[in-house]
């Protein structure tokens, strides 16, 4: 699984909620992806703001290699990135309630990305 700025390790629901709040409110569509503590390699939890509260959704690969959310297939996505792109664009799939608008950036992941960008620039010189 390739990391991206909205990927966190196995943080709990309380910590996820703390990261999703902005100035005392939970903006619709703000989200983060966290590892599922007891899950397998392809199991994650999306913590998502919806209707001014935090909701948590299990993302898991099914037997056909398709990523599902709460056991629902929203578009035959074979990668987590493809699933998040689908849920971040309109029109939304049927029965998915909110457009993913903004991810919470993980400072640890951002640091890794910046280091790899710096290394690429050094190699080019």
């Amino acid at each position: 699984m390739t990391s991206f700025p909205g990927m966190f390790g196995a943080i709990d629901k309380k910590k996820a909620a703390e990261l999703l709040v902005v100035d005392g409110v939970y903006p619709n569509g703000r989200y983060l992806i966290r590892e599922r503590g007891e899950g397998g390699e392809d199991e994650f939890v999306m913590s998502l703001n919806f209707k001014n509260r935090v909701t948590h959704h299990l993302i898991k690969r099914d037997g056909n290699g398709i990523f599902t959310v709460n056991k629902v297939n929203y578009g035959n996505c074979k990668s987590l990135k493809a699933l998040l792109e689908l849920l971040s664009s309109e029109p939304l799939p049927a029965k998915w309630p909110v457009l993913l608008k903004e991810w919470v950036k993980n400072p640890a992941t951002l640091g890794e990305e910046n280091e790899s960008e710096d290394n690429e620039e050094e190699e080019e010189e």
Side-chain angles (χ1 to χ4, degrees):
M1 170 66 217
T2 303
S3 63
F4 71 101
M7 177 66 73
F8 287 79
I11 61 174
D12 62 20
K13 288 180 179 183
K14 182 179 179 188
K15 180 65 176 174
E18 290 171 3
L19 292 167
L20 288 165
V21 69
V22 177
D23 297 327
V25 297
Y26 296 94
N28 256 1
R30 184 172 163 91
Y31 71 99
L32 62 83
I33 304 297
R34 54 193 173 94
E35 293 176 5
R36 184 172 183 222
E38 69 264 8
E41 184 178 317
D42 288 329
E43 292 186 22
F44 306 93
V45 176
M46 178 190 319
S47 296
L48 168 68
N49 292 344
F50 179 58
K51 294 187 177 179
N52 203 34
R53 68 184 186 96
V54 179
T55 59
H56 305 277
H57 307 273
L58 178 62
I59 298 175
K60 186 175 177 178
R61 208 184 279 266
D62 70 10
N64 297 316
I66 305 297
F67 277 95
T68 62
V69 181
N70 300 330
K71 299 182 181 179
V72 176
N73 177 348
Y74 285 103
N76 296 323
C77 298
K78 296 244 180 196
S79 71
L80 182 58
K81 180 181 178 186
L83 176 66
L84 296 175
E85 287 174 354
L86 177 72
L87 301 178
S88 298
S89 57
E90 297 189 67
L92 286 172
K95 298 190 180 190
W96 181 254
V98 62
L99 184 70
L100 301 183
K101 295 180 183 175
E102 172 192 11
W103 67 77
V104 175
K105 293 169 182 69
N106 182 343
T109 307
L110 286 172
E112 290 172 9
E113 284 187 354
N114 289 339
E115 286 175 18
S116 66
E117 287 174 9
D118 290 344
N119 290 339
E120 288 173 12
E121 288 175 11
E122 288 174 9
E123 290 173 8
E124 289 175 8
E125 291 177 1

